[in-house]
Amino acid sequence: MPTRTLDRLDIAILEALQENARMPLSEVGRRIGLSQPATSERVRRLEDRGIITGYGVRVDPAALGLGMTAIIRLRTTHEHIRPALRAFAGMPHVIEVHRLTGEDCFLLKVLVPTPAQLETLVDTVARFGAVTTSLVLRSEPVKPLGKALLS
């Protein structure tokens, strides 16, 4: 289990960088009680092990005119799985794809500017099977992966 090889300092580094990936490593080190070189080495090891897979920016979709978020569940048959995955990859409004067990085969998170765009997207996805669509009223911030989860 990977968490067994993470000590409290590694976890503290992960928490700090998830809070603000632009935080200088010297500041991360000050927060957790390590020198900047020691912090840099730990970050490099976390990257090398594939625990840190990248750094990013959070974007407000509404500020870009994508004010509607919807969750689309798709129930399909096995022969439609690969064609559906290829189709989803070509749909820019589909920002997350989750393959599921149970009655539904996929859960898609989509961002669209208008109800008409959502209708078009739902109709396109429905070529692969039965869909259920839910509008997202509000999303809470994603929780960071840290000591509460890893202990």
Side-chain angles (χ1 to χ4, degrees):
M1 188 171 170
T3 57
R4 291 186 185 179
T5 60
L6 295 179
D7 65 16
R8 67 174 184 78
L9 296 173
D10 290 331
I11 293 170
I13 289 169
L14 293 174
E15 289 176 333
L17 291 176
Q18 287 176 93
E19 177 186 321
N20 178 4
R22 294 185 64 184
M23 184 184 310
L25 294 181
S26 58
E27 174 61 23
V28 173
R30 268 193 296 282
R31 284 186 178 196
I32 65 171
L34 285 179
S35 68
Q36 187 274 325
T39 304
S40 295
E41 177 59 24
R42 281 177 174 264
V43 168
R44 186 194 59 73
R45 284 195 309 241
L46 291 166
E47 291 169 342
D48 289 348
R49 292 171 55 200
I51 293 169
I52 295 177
T53 59
Y55 301 85
V57 63
R58 290 182 287 273
V59 178
D60 180 0
L64 299 174
L66 299 167
M68 292 183 69
T69 302
I71 302 298
I72 299 173
R73 296 187 342 254
L74 170 65
R75 184 178 307 162
T76 190
T77 57
H78 190 71
E79 65 266 11
H80 289 99
I81 298 291
R82 289 202 190 285
L85 285 168
R86 284 192 295 274
F88 302 153
M91 297 176 185
H93 294 286
V94 176
I95 63 164
E96 289 183 28
V97 176
H98 301 275
R99 178 105 186 257
L100 307 174
T101 61
E103 292 185 24
D104 295 320
C105 300
F106 291 102
L107 182 142
L108 311 174
K109 181 177 179 181
V110 302
L111 298 174
V112 293
T114 65
Q117 289 258 185
L118 180 58
E119 179 182 23
T120 300
L121 191 60
V122 168
D123 290 347
T124 301
V125 171
R127 293 181 304 160
F128 298 104
V131 298
T132 303
T133 305
S134 300
L135 289 178
V136 174
L137 299 176
R138 178 179 63 203
S139 295
E140 297 299 319
V142 175
K143 292 179 182 179
L145 305 181
K147 64 183 168 207
L149 177 65
L150 299 173
S151 53

